[in-house]
């Protein structure tokens, strides 16, 4: 047992409370947020190293032994995602001061930012299903405040949709937990996995599993539940959109990975085949949405969905290669989506519009942003040797190994269309003659560029340094496909 597991939750929680008291002192709050974000990222990096060297770290809170108390489980998957979350948060903190008006900054932005990080980190680390619901609510409460920050009419309109969808899914979530508790008599994930093995997965458990998948699928924006996502993710300030796109849907994906590799693993012919079908529709409809609009923010928002489709595709195929691909793609997509939302936010600010039809020749004024967009397009679409290619290659290898040829072809075609949707922004917005009506703001462009370049650096590193990172992902997939490893880490003597 080690207190290390709670640090990624405690540090941002304390930071959020502390910053609430100094929110009006903008410069002090801004610099404090940067220091605390660096600290939290450093702590997460150390815990990742410790877990990789020594194995899973567990904490039985309050001294109550599992399964009677709340358990935090920092296994390799959880701490990898916590570290990725903090890397993204670090970039967003440095971007925020240039993106947000000072008034918005002073209106508790940094407090809600750290509370969001608290909720996301807690969701990754908890070993208790009800506690997962609690951390979902923590991050959602913070996101409700962030999505309305600024109080513009369009924000308030879209926030109603966002709140209602999440409120409904939360009601279904807690109801499903009650059903599961009535059948298994526990909400501890490790004990649930043990008891499902003992009683086998009966029809009622499969039904509950599909209901739970519906909850997580709503939060991850899977087909047919994706309709709510694009506009609510584009109306807030770009730094908030980046946090939402990188973190919130990915908590839903993580929850599906955790529950359907640990607990609901005995009727995969039903549940996991369903995942493959849903993944296929998500890929298709996400790409159609991205191709149907000339709003650069909406193009990136719609591209969230095919990425989630790829991750669910790997889970549905359910062999080690495909699971490795889903995990690799999950980490890759968290980073590159944050970078892309920050990037299109900067482009919209500097061009004075997010309408692609009103842009041209931006490469003349802002060449570095243009080439960062070019690289990002290749990273997201999965062009070798970038990180998107590694994840997709593993998923497609897994799908061919299982004979899932149709979904593999859909994945390949969608990758080409994803590349086209992003290259459309580059060709139409950056290429062409110089637009003399644009007032050049080099200072703002440089300020936006560094946090974006920071994230793209990590995304490129995931691809070109695949030999370094793949062993970690392979260990994660091995742990996921052997639930007894997780169970033993929670109930070890």
């Amino acid at each position: 047992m080690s207190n290390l597991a709670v640090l990624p939750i405690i540090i941002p929680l304390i930071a959020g409370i502390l910053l609430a008291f100094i929110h009006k002192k903008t410069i002090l709050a801004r610099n404090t947020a940067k220091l605390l974000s660096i600290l939290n990222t450093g702590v997460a990096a150390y815990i990742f190293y410790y877990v990789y060297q020594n194995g899973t770290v567990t904490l039985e809170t309050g001294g109550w032994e599992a399964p009677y108390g709340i358990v935090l489980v920092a296994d390799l998957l959880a701490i990898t995602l916590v570290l990725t979350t903090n890397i993204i948060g670090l970039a967003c903190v440095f971007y925020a001061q240039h993106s947000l008006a000072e008034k918005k900054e002073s209106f508790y932005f940094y407090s809600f930012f750290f509370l969001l990080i608290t909720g996301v980190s807690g969701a990754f680390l908890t070993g208790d299903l009800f506690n997962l619901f609690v951390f979902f609510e923590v991050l959602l409460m913070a996101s409700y405040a962030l999505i309305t920050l600024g109080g513009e009419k369009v924000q308030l309109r879209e926030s109603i949709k966002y709140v209602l969808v999440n409120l409904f899914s939360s009601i279904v979530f807690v109801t499903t937990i009650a059903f599961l508790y009535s059948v298994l008599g526990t909400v501890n994930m490790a004990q649930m996995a043990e008891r499902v093995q003992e009683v086998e997965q009966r029809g009622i458990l499969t039904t509950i599993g599909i209901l739970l998948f519906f909850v997580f699928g709503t939060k991850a924006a899977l087909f047919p539940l994706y309709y709510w996502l694009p506009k609510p993710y584009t109306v807030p300030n770009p730094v908030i959109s980046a946090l939402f796109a990188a973190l919130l849907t990915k908590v839903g994906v993580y929850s599906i990975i955790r529950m359907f590799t640990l607990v609901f693993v005995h009727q995969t012919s039903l549940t996991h085949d369903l995942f493959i079908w849903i993944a296929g529709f998500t890929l298709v409809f996400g790409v159609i949405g991205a191709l149907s609009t000339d709003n650069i923010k909406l193009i990136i928002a719609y591209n969230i969905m095919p990425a989630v489709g790829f991750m669910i595709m790997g889970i549905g195929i359910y062999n080690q290669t495909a699971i490795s691909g889903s995990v690799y793609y999950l980490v890759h997509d968290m980073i590159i989506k944050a970078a892309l939302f920050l990037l299109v936010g900067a482009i919209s600010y500097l061009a004075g519009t997010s309408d692609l039809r009103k842009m041209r020749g931006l490469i003349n004024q802002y060449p570095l942003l243009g080439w960062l967009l070019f690289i990002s397009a290749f990273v997201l679409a999965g062009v070798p040797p970038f990180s998107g290619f590694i994840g997709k290659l593993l998923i497609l290898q897994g799908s061919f190994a299982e004979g899932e040829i149709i979904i593999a072809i859909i994945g390949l075609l969608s990758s080409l269309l994803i590349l086209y949707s992003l290259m459309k922004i580059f060709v139409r917005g950056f290429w062409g003659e110089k637009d003399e009506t644009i007032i050049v703001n080099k200072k703002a462009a440089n300020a936006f560029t560094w946090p974006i370049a920071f994230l793209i650096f990590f995304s490129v590193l995931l691809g070109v340094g695949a030999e370094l990172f793949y062993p970690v992902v392979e260990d994660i997939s091995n742990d996921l496909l052997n639930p007894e490893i997780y169970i033993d880490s929670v109930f070890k003597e």
Side-chain angles (χ1 to χ4, degrees):
M1 188 170 76
S2 172
N3 289 326
L4 284 175
V6 79
L7 290 180
I9 301 171
I10 289 293
I11 293 173
L13 178 61
I14 294 173
I17 295 169
L18 172 64
L19 288 162
F21 290 100
I22 57 173
H23 69 100
K24 290 184 179 179
K25 299 176 181 178
T26 309
I27 295 175
L28 177 62
R30 182 187 298 161
N31 291 329
T32 303
K34 289 176 181 178
L35 288 172
L36 290 171
S37 191
I38 292 169
L39 171 65
N40 203 31
T41 305
V43 169
Y46 171 74
I47 299 172
F48 171 83
Y49 174 78
Y50 183 89
V51 169
Y52 186 64
Q53 295 294 323
N54 302 288
T56 300
V57 172
T58 60
L59 173 63
E60 296 168 337
T61 58
W64 287 81
E65 293 184 1
Y68 305 107
I70 294 171
V71 180
L72 299 178
V73 184
D75 66 346
L76 201 50
L77 172 61
I79 198 60
T80 298
L81 297 181
V82 168
L83 177 57
T84 307
T85 296
N86 282 283
I87 289 171
I88 292 163
L90 184 60
C92 288
V93 161
F94 279 85
Y95 186 97
Q97 70 180 83
H98 308 292
S99 178
L100 290 165
E102 189 170 322
K103 183 178 179 181
K104 293 181 182 179
E105 261 190 293
S106 66
F107 203 67
Y108 300 99
F109 166 76
Y110 293 109
S111 288
F112 290 124
F113 163 81
F114 278 109
L115 290 176
L116 184 73
I117 299 297
T118 301
V120 172
S121 299
F124 290 146
L125 291 168
T126 185
D128 180 283
L129 188 60
F130 184 78
N131 219 35
L132 178 62
F133 166 75
V134 172
F135 280 117
F136 259 114
E137 295 308 300
V138 172
L139 68 90
L140 285 174
M141 289 296 179
S143 72
Y144 297 156
L146 290 171
I147 198 174
T148 57
L149 190 65
E152 296 178 12
K153 183 178 179 180
V154 66
Q155 287 180 270
L156 297 174
R157 184 183 71 233
E158 294 301 329
S159 68
I160 292 172
K161 182 198 302 182
Y162 177 80
V163 171
L164 287 176
V165 167
N166 281 291
L167 181 63
F168 174 73
S169 67
S170 294
I171 292 170
V172 178
F173 190 4
V174 75
T175 305
T176 306
I177 293 172
F179 290 156
L180 201 54
Y181 182 79
S182 69
V183 175
L184 296 178
T186 183
V187 289
N188 180 280
M189 293 181 189
Q191 192 175 40
M192 287 164 59
E194 274 190 328
R195 292 189 175 180
V196 168
Q197 289 178 7
E198 292 169 1
V199 303
E200 298 184 353
Q201 189 174 329
R202 301 187 300 271
I204 183 65
L205 280 173
T206 301
T207 304
I208 292 171
I210 292 173
L211 193 57
L212 204 58
F213 174 75
F214 168 82
V215 172
F216 298 141
T218 302
K219 297 183 184 298
L222 285 168
F223 174 87
L225 309 166
Y226 65 91
Y227 64 90
W228 65 269
L229 180 141
K231 288 191 176 179
Y233 273 39
T234 57
V235 294
N237 188 275
V239 70
I240 296 169
S241 296
L243 288 167
F244 284 15
L247 304 180
L248 301 193
T249 53
K250 306 313 181 295
V251 175
V253 173
Y254 162 79
S255 302
I256 292 170
I257 292 174
R258 181 64 79 193
M259 294 303 295
F260 288 90
T261 58
L262 180 64
V263 180
F264 302 104
V265 294
H266 302 287
Q267 290 287 341
T268 56
S269 59
L270 175 61
T271 55
H272 291 59
D273 286 351
L274 174 66
F275 295 174
I276 293 174
W277 279 94
I278 290 175
F281 282 113
T282 305
L283 285 165
V284 171
F285 282 93
V287 169
I288 290 172
L291 296 175
S292 67
T293 180
D294 286 313
N295 185 313
I296 61 173
K297 293 182 179 179
L298 276 175
I299 290 172
I300 305 304
Y302 274 111
N303 270 310
I304 293 171
M305 286 173 276
V308 172
F310 271 110
M311 298 170 212
I312 301 303
M313 175 180 163
I315 301 165
I317 292 163
Y318 203 63
N319 58 31
Q320 184 161 5
T321 305
I323 293 290
S324 296
S326 289
V327 173
Y328 212 108
Y329 201 85
L330 173 58
V331 175
H332 139 82
D333 195 66
M334 289 173 72
I335 297 172
I336 196 61
K337 279 300 187 308
L340 279 166
F341 268 92
L342 296 181
L343 191 52
V344 295
I347 293 168
S348 299
Y349 175 82
L350 295 168
T353 179
S354 59
D355 190 339
L356 199 52
R357 294 168 295 184
K358 298 177 182 178
M359 296 182 194
R360 73 174 190 274
L362 290 174
I363 198 77
N364 295 288
Q365 292 101 334
Y366 307 110
L368 187 53
L369 282 176
W371 293 118
L372 286 174
L373 176 65
F374 186 83
I375 294 169
S376 299
F378 278 69
V379 172
L380 185 65
V383 175
F386 299 115
S387 54
F389 170 75
I390 306 299
K392 287 180 182 178
L393 177 64
L394 292 169
I395 293 169
L396 292 173
Q397 283 180 335
S399 64
F400 283 121
E402 296 296 325
E404 298 288 350
I405 308 300
I406 294 175
I407 190 66
I409 293 171
I410 293 172
L412 287 169
L413 292 175
S414 68
S415 295
L416 292 174
L417 295 175
I418 289 168
L419 180 61
Y420 171 75
S421 70
L422 290 176
M423 291 308 293
K424 181 172 72 171
I425 301 175
F426 181 78
V427 172
R428 291 171 58 183
F430 280 85
W431 223 240
E433 296 180 3
K434 184 177 181 180
D435 188 349
E436 299 293 345
T437 63
I438 293 177
I439 300 172
V440 179
N441 189 343
K442 290 287 186 181
K443 184 179 179 181
N446 291 334
F448 288 136
T449 298
W450 290 112
I452 296 167
F454 173 76
L455 291 175
I456 292 175
F457 166 77
F458 278 102
S459 193
V460 171
L461 186 64
L462 272 174
V464 298
E467 288 186 359
L468 294 174
F469 299 109
Y470 181 68
V472 178
V473 173
E474 196 171 32
D475 287 347
I476 291 172
S477 63
N478 181 62
D479 291 350
L480 290 173
L481 290 172
N482 294 280
E484 62 275 4
I485 295 174
Y486 183 93
I487 295 168
D488 291 343
S489 70
V490 174
F491 293 117
K492 60 187 176 184
E493 295 292 332

